[in-house]
Amino acid sequence: MPRETHPSICRFCHANCGILVEVEDGRPVRVTGDPENPAYFGFTCAKGRRLPDQHAHPDRLLHSQKRGEDGRFTPIASEAAMDEIAARIGEIVKRHGPRAVALYPGTYSGPHPASIPAGVGFMLALGSKMVFTSAAIDQPGKHVANAIHGRWLGGSHVFDESDVWMLVGNNPLISMSGGIPPSNPSRRLRRAKARGLSLIVIDPRKTEVARFADLFLQPRAGEDPAILAAMLHVVIREGLYDSAFLLENVAGFEALSNAVADCTPAWAAARAGLDPFEIVAAARLFARGPRGCAVAGTGPNMAPHGNLTEYLLLCLNTLCGRWRRAGERVPNPGALLPPALGKAQASGPRPGWGKGESLRSRPLGNSAAGLPTAALSDEILYEGDERIRVLVCLGSNPVAAWPDQRKAIAAMKKLELLVCLDPKLGATSGLAHYVIAPKLSLEVPGLSVSSEGVEQTYVAHGYPEPYAQYTKAIVAPPPGADVIEEWEFFHGLCRRMGLPLTCYPLRAEAGVLRGRREAFALDMQKKPSTDEDLAALMNGSRVPLDEIKRHPHGAIFDAEQAARPGTPFAPKPEHAVVAPADPGNTDRLDVANADMLRELAGIRRAPLPPVLEGAPHATPPVFQLISRRLPNVYNSSGRDLEALQKGRTWNPAFLHPDDLAMLGLADGDRIEIASSHDSILGIAEAAPELRRGIVSMAHCYGDGPENDDKLRELGSSTGRLIDNLRDFDPYTGIPRMSAIDVTIRKA
Ligand SMILES: Nc1nc2c(c(=O)[nH]1)N[C@H]1C(S)=C(S)[C@@H](COP(=O)(O)OP(=O)(O)OC[C@H]3O[C@@H](n4cnc5c(=O)[nH]c(N)nc54)[C@H](O)[C@@H]3O)O[C@H]1N2
Ligand SMILES: Nc1nc2c(c(=O)[nH]1)N[C@H]1C(S)=C(S)[C@@H](COP(=O)(O)OP(=O)(O)OC[C@H]3O[C@@H](n4cnc5c(=O)[nH]c(N)nc54)[C@H](O)[C@@H]3O)O[C@H]1N2
Ligand code: SF4
Ligand SMILES: [Mo]
């Protein structure tokens, strides 16, 4: 059979790059970037190019699995698995109520837009609110800060039009996440630099993106709140703020000014191990703008005070007036999202925490980031009757990803029913009662909506233009396989349990104001096709899905195109520009949330940390373990793709060469890394781009203590070093997952 080439969407990660897939004998054989894609311009990374290996991997599950009494897995037909799981959930709910059932959607619920709505729809039909997502152990501070600061309904400035951009602990050139649009960020960054963008990066590691920085601050980890408070101090002291904007739209300026009055650059610099002038320079450069935005990533969100860091960043953006005004163009009027109805006004603050369901095992409730996933192990291990007994993992891997790995393993083992929708028998699915084998991305239709929709959650995220792509399924699953889509699993459970399945659209938090989507019920008698499900999910989109389907390489559905005769979506003026505020609107953005200012005051009063210049001082020296991403893995996925790892299947413990020398270590040495909670083995590797006193390691490696001897094969679990009961955020429950004190010695 001849080779055919199809344009499609890469869904190895959330970035949704436009790709070309070559198919031979019904199998994907080669993936390259699609040069005809108008937003990604042919970009792919090594992971995307290995999609064929992922689909054909010998360890891929082609049949669902059931674990027997002896712990061994045997294949089970997916229909039979759903029969048994539905019956089991029914029994447990009858005995203990629906609250005994929890859902944990993780990384691989993202690539398939129908998954989460169906999973959450199932939970609501069952009557359980126990939905925990990976967002609560990712950047929960973003959700909390957006809520308590309030939302600007006209949207933020976007990267492609900005004069200054500040990245605090994120590395979008590798992660495709955070501030620089996911569509070919390195091309966008180069073009922005060429037209004069000033870039500020704050990170203990001189990252790939930091190499492009005009101003790079390399602080100790965990000092972002102090640095940002000092930047606010400078902006206020030097009058660099947008007073007209503040007068009209902001509450709490005076209280904020008082709160940062003694957060001087000298104080913050002493905490962070910087030169005070670096902080002054960053504040001045950022405030000069006139257009731009400051965003943070996972690093500072995983270090303590993540809510405060995100809150101070919003305050900085607000003081500098970095929001779209009446009459300004809306850069992304929407494609798969409903049309923009941008308005130049605030929507006042809402509570960031303390609503709805709370845990039984710990005094933690629901926050704007959802239920506290970092405490889900406790809720399963809890001895009370109201514990969680059933967990459904939707494209997620608690043993790899949750803080305190040993506790996560104990929790997985205690569950009465653990079901994983996962193509692999891995760290968590290997402990499951049932593993449902899913179709992989090239076997299902897809949409670029997660990359577009992230605008609804985070400021300065998403696409800077109305780009969208649809892909049909490119190949059928391998012959003989019995694999299903995640949403079909939940539909199957609901059908068996006599429950309706209603899908609810995403709630907007941060982006421009947009039109609504309607909830809809799936037909329970006749299962819809995935295309029908996707069409229903995209109700209210600015560009009809059928129109998007007419552009297989993806398209930017801009005004020019919309103006063509016969085009079914209109360049209506109300979608193209930010409307003036409603007369009489009194909502204000809040820059003086009392809880946040109290938290800042606590930091201001705290003693200076001991580790400062050069080498760590204590004996034995105390290092800060920080989080990071590696280019050739996506959380716990990709480690088994040989062509991607090229022999390095572990996660090195990166250290500054001078620190290696000080510890008497060489590249490749086995080391023991100990926190106050636990210890792991690691393999040292020199990284001159790190600040001294830092050890930088990727997460989601190391598959549990019984595999500790396979250090070079599996790497090691940084999650095991984390104590989920220590230094945790009182609202979201996220514990200290970066900036963790550790000691290091040769193993
Ligand atoms: N110490 C530490 N811990 C961390 C982090 C950190 O930086 N440091 N980062 C945190 C962050 S940001 C996140 S988001 C979480 C991630 O937390 P999780 O989402 O729980 O972890 P993943 O490893 O991404 O789990 C993805 C699972 O999906 C499976 N999978 C792969 N492809 C498919 C597919 O097509 N369909 C389905 N159904 N499943 C598939 C994989 O085999 C894997 O088991 O981890 C968090 N944990
Ligand atoms: N290739 C690849 N891409 C991914 C992933 C992956 O595993 N691999 N994971 C995906 C996921 S789940 C997510 S959430 C996103 C995350 O996307 P990003 O947030 O961009 O994640 P990182 O690249 O880890 O960048 C975090 C940075 O924070 C720095 N850092 C650590 N601690 C601190 C601190 O206390 N203060 C400051 N200022 N900096 C600190 C680290 O040195 C690191 O450079 O990436 C996604 N993309
Ligand atoms: S960046 Fe993500 S979406 Fe793009 S090719 Fe790589 S894995 Fe695929
Ligand atoms: Mo994440």
Side-chain angles (χ1 to χ4, degrees), residues 259-277:
V260 299
D262 60 354
C263 296
T264 60
W267 163 75
R271 287 200 64 91
L274 295 170
D275 183 325
F277 193 71

Side-chain angles (χ1 to χ4, degrees), residues 14 47 107 138-139 168-172 174-177 202-205 207 219-224 297-300 303 626-635 696 699 738-739:
H14 59 280
K47 296 185 295 301
T107 304
D138 178 320
Q139 300 170 70
V168 186
N170 55 346
N171 187 20
I174 298 298
S175 67
M176 306 288 143
S177 175
I202 304 181
D203 198 306
R205 170 172 175 257
T207 56
R220 281 170 39 83
E223 297 300 343
D224 307 287
T298 45
I626 63 169
S627 62
R628 65 169 299 151
R629 264 83 196 138
L630 291 173
N632 53 351
V633 290
Y634 188 51
N635 297 335
S696 155
H699 59 292
S738 193

